[in-house]
Amino acid sequence: MKSIIFDVDTGIDDALAMAYALHSPELEILGFTTCFGNVPVEDATRNTLAVLEKLNRHIPVFSGAGQTLNRGEKKEYPKHVHGEDGLGNTLEGAPTLQASQGHAVDFIIEQVKSRPDEITIIAVGPLTNIALAIKKDPEIMSLVKEVIIMGGAVKVQGNVNPYAEANIICDPDAADLVLSSGLPVTLVGLDVTMQTCLPKSKLDEWRATGKESAQFLAEMTDYYMKAYDSSHPGLGGCALHDPLAVGVAINSDLVRTESMNIKVVTEGEETGRTIGQPDSESGIRVCTEVDAARFVKHFLERVIRS
Ligand code: BDR
Ligand code: CA
């Protein structure tokens, strides 16, 4: 079993990734850490707690970075993709679960130091919490087992603009710090996540289960799919960005990787771009191919608990 710290900016596909991970016996989730990104950090924490509550799971949630490393607060949030509340406007009142005391960055440092070479971090939001953890205690870099990051667009176009992927452009300085730190990273970027598709028809199957949690996930994913209808007409569903990072944590052979060093552009028009150069010495493995059909099948077997 892999011991996981799951860093999220919950978000609809983050919620799907949470459900997939929480229903996967291969993963032991020690805690969730939250970051601004799809929504402000307070909402990311609330949404993470709300998803846990719907799934009836009690796992610690630590609130983390509310702003970028060097550029202050994010100005606008992608409400057209994730809704006013970040969960496709499905939230009805605040969850009763409470966040844990303490900061996400301290939780990451403490867990990594107490379990050397055992912890895998799955990061599916901006990389600010991990960057802050490295800055606060650089020793953790040699103690983390693996970091699986949903982020970047190395050989393909971005999704915010032609260059940048959303998680990286939210905090390019944090991404640059993490991706040049020497941490053992698997980069699950748009190169592979855009090859995955959750078809619309699956939402009716989820609803038909009659389960409240399935209804909740179907309603929010319906909102996400409507955003995809405008941005990717003809796709007939949505990409499964954050869930693929979980899939790779469970089955690394879902993807083929290439060893590269990655430079993140931090200035000018191309800010947020992830430029990869082949480098057999690099600790970064960039996912460049995915068995999308096998992944989507596995995700669908797990996301709704039978
Ligand atoms: C990433 O950006 C966010 O909108 C999603 O949650 C995902 O982590 C995709 O580019
Ligand atoms: Ca996310």
Side-chain angles (χ1 to χ4, degrees):
M1 201 193 289
K2 280 192 179 174
S3 301
I4 304 289
I5 295 175
F6 201 167
D7 192 70
V8 290
D9 62 331
T10 316
I12 297 170
D13 62 324
D14 303 70
L16 294 175
M18 286 178 64
Y20 183 25
L22 289 162
H23 298 157
S24 290
E26 299 87 349
L27 307 181
E28 177 202 17
I29 305 178
L30 304 172
F32 289 91
T33 52
T34 66
C35 186
F36 76 94
N38 290 322
V39 285
V41 69
E42 297 77 16
D43 294 2
T45 302
R46 176 204 61 202
N47 292 351
T48 306
L49 293 164
V51 173
L52 285 171
E53 196 157 286
K54 285 280 185 199
L55 298 177
N56 206 13
R57 295 291 294 270
H58 293 198
I59 292 179
V61 177
F62 294 86
S63 226
Q67 60 176 34
T68 64
L69 219 47
N70 305 327
R71 301 169 196 233
E73 281 185 27
K74 192 173 180 212
K75 305 275 182 302
E76 280 176 22
Y77 294 94
K79 295 179 179 169
H80 59 294
V81 182
H82 295 276
E84 288 287 328
D85 60 7
L87 294 178
N89 305 329
T90 57
L91 268 192
E92 296 157 356
T96 51
L97 288 178
Q98 298 283 318
S100 299
Q101 293 295 315
H103 196 280
V105 169
D106 295 321
F107 176 72
I108 293 171
I109 293 171
E110 175 201 298
Q111 289 293 314
V112 169
K113 290 183 92 163
S114 65
R115 303 170 76 158
D117 301 321
E118 279 182 24
I119 292 188
T120 297
I121 302 175
I122 304 178
V124 297
L127 293 168
T128 320
N129 285 332
I130 302 177
L132 288 170
I134 294 171
K135 277 166 81 102
K136 189 164 184 181
D137 197 335
E139 196 195 342
I140 64 161
M141 289 185 294
S142 60
L143 302 177
V144 176
K145 184 173 173 208
E146 189 184 10
V147 187
I148 302 175
I149 293 172
M150 190 285 127
V154 178
K155 296 186 180 186
V156 298
Q157 289 213 332
N159 57 0
V160 172
N161 61 43
Y163 308 109
E165 181 278 327
N167 287 336
I168 303 292
I169 204 172
C170 272
D171 195 347
D173 308 303
D176 192 38
L177 193 152
V178 171
L179 294 172
S180 60
S181 68
L183 273 172
V185 166
T186 301
L187 197 65
V188 184
L190 300 181
D191 302 78
V192 281
T193 65
M194 281 309 297
Q195 295 180 44
T196 68
C197 178
L198 173 64
K200 277 186 187 166
S201 58
K202 294 296 167 191
L203 301 190
D204 288 336
E205 292 179 24
W206 296 0
R207 291 187 182 103
T209 64
K211 290 175 190 300
E212 197 194 340
S213 57
Q215 212 80 357
F216 179 59
L217 292 175
E219 287 319 309
M220 71 175 78
T221 307
D222 197 35
Y223 187 98
Y224 195 56
M225 287 186 174
K226 289 193 173 111
Y228 265 83
D229 277 345
S230 332
S231 60
H232 298 82
L235 186 67
C238 64
L240 290 166
H241 302 291
D242 294 349
L244 184 58
V246 172
V248 170
I250 300 168
N251 289 318
S252 60
D253 64 356
L254 283 172
V255 287
R256 212 177 76 80
T257 63
E258 294 176 34
S259 198
M260 293 188 201
N261 67 60
I262 297 287
K263 180 184 158 9
V264 180
V265 178
T266 55
E267 277 171 27
E269 192 194 353
E270 299 188 7
T271 295
R273 183 173 181 181
T274 42
I275 301 175
Q277 292 289 341
D279 179 355
S280 56
E281 306 288 292
S282 169
I284 303 180
R285 300 185 315 145
V286 177
C287 299
T288 51
E289 287 176 34
V290 58
D291 187 341
R294 194 174 134 227
F295 158 68
V296 173
K297 181 170 180 288
H298 191 256
F299 167 81
L300 287 169
E301 284 163 4
R302 298 267 177 102
V303 65
I304 305 298
R305 177 155 258 169
S306 50

